[in-house]
Structures are given as C-alpha cells and as structure tokens.
Amino acid sequence: MKKLKMKKISNHISYKEATNSNYAKQFGIENKPSAEHIKNMEKLAEAVFEPLRKWVGKPIKVNSMYRSEALNRGIGGSSVSSHLTGNAIDLTNMGGKSNKEMLHYIIENLDYDQVISEYPIDGEPQWIHVSYKNKKDNRKQALEIKRKGKYYTYTGCKKC
C-alpha cells in the first residue's frame, strides 16, 4: 500500500498543524485556507518560522496559524487578525529555548510585520504571535499585550 504524502507548509510545519483547531473540530467549523492563504503561510514560514526553528534546534509548537472567518469569530479573534489571511502564527516553546528567548531572537534577527509577547508572567510570554506581510510592508512592530479583568492593553516592546 502506497503512503500518501502529507501536504507541507514548510520543512517543519504540516498543513494539518497549520490549520488545526480543537475549537473548529468541536463546533464543526471548516478551517480551509485558499491557495492565496497557503502562499502567505509559506512566506511566513520561510521568513520567520524556519530560521527560528533552526536557531532553537528543537521543535516549536504551532498554536495557531490560519483561521477561517467563522473560526476567528468563534474564538473572539480580532476582525482584522492576520491569521485570517495566513500571515500570522502563534508559537510556544517545546524546551529548546524559552518563549522570551525566541521573542528576542525574532526582534533582533528576523524580518516581521508584528511580534507580540502574549500575556507575559514575570516577563515570560505565554506564547508569541508573529505576523509577516512582505519585506516592503513589514512594520517591525514589537508589542506586549496584557489583560487586567476584561481589559486588554498593548504597549511597545523594546526589551520585553
């Protein structure tokens, strides 16, 4: 029996991993990117994920990459989220480097549109959000998001 080749977004990100969502499965929401979304995901992986993965030297967990409008709405995501176009990825360390170390590496070494230190505890992000458009349009914006009660605040992140 011949094995089916699994679709890949990049060397270390499978299509399944890039589109996986427990919420979508639970509520029967389709989370299928278009060809244009996939191209964006591939550019993001090439520019940010793969160089970061090489530096870390171990697997990095992809929490979220592409989100359909229905999925994004269901989880309460921003209506202008870069996840909707396949231009964003949320990452968590798996033991190679800390989230904070990965955040600093991205800020100091990679091209990106936006990087966000998500809900840090004692300076350590719970996860990292990174978006990538293209070299010309990337803003190189580094932010930190914190939550207090029902309020969220974004601040600049020079030395998160």
Side-chain angles (χ1 to χ4, degrees), residues 58-123:
K58 296 197 181 224
I60 300 169
K61 183 177 184 207
V62 174
N63 300 333
S64 179
M65 195 168 193
Y66 172 75
R67 291 186 203 146
S68 67
E69 285 187 33
L71 172 57
N72 194 61
R73 193 171 37 255
I75 65 166
S78 167
S79 63
V80 294
S81 172
S82 294
H83 289 283
L84 293 165
T85 57
N87 290 102
I89 190 168
D90 292 343
L91 308 168
T92 304
N93 80 75
M94 292 181 71
K97 303 281 184 184
S98 72
N99 287 342
K100 188 172 184 175
E101 288 172 310
M102 292 194 305
L103 174 75
H104 285 275
Y105 183 83
I106 293 165
I107 291 170
E108 296 165 10
N109 298 284
L110 302 178
D111 191 21
Y112 59 90
D113 179 48
Q114 196 174 59
V115 62
I116 304 173
S117 170
E118 301 267 356
Y119 312 106
I121 297 173
D122 296 328

Side-chain angles (χ1 to χ4, degrees), residues 21-68:
S21 167
N22 290 334
Y23 186 93
K25 289 175 193 165
Q26 181 181 355
F27 293 98
I29 298 171
E30 188 173 285
N31 194 42
K32 188 173 181 182
S34 69
E36 183 179 341
H37 297 144
I38 291 172
K39 283 181 189 173
N40 292 339
M41 294 159 69
E42 290 170 344
K43 281 192 288 186
L44 168 63
E46 180 183 323
V48 178
F49 185 86
E50 290 300 331
L52 180 64
R53 172 66 171 75
K54 183 177 182 180
W55 177 75
V56 168
K58 296 197 181 224
I60 300 169
K61 183 177 184 207
V62 174
N63 300 333
S64 179
M65 195 168 193
Y66 172 75
R67 291 186 203 146
S68 67

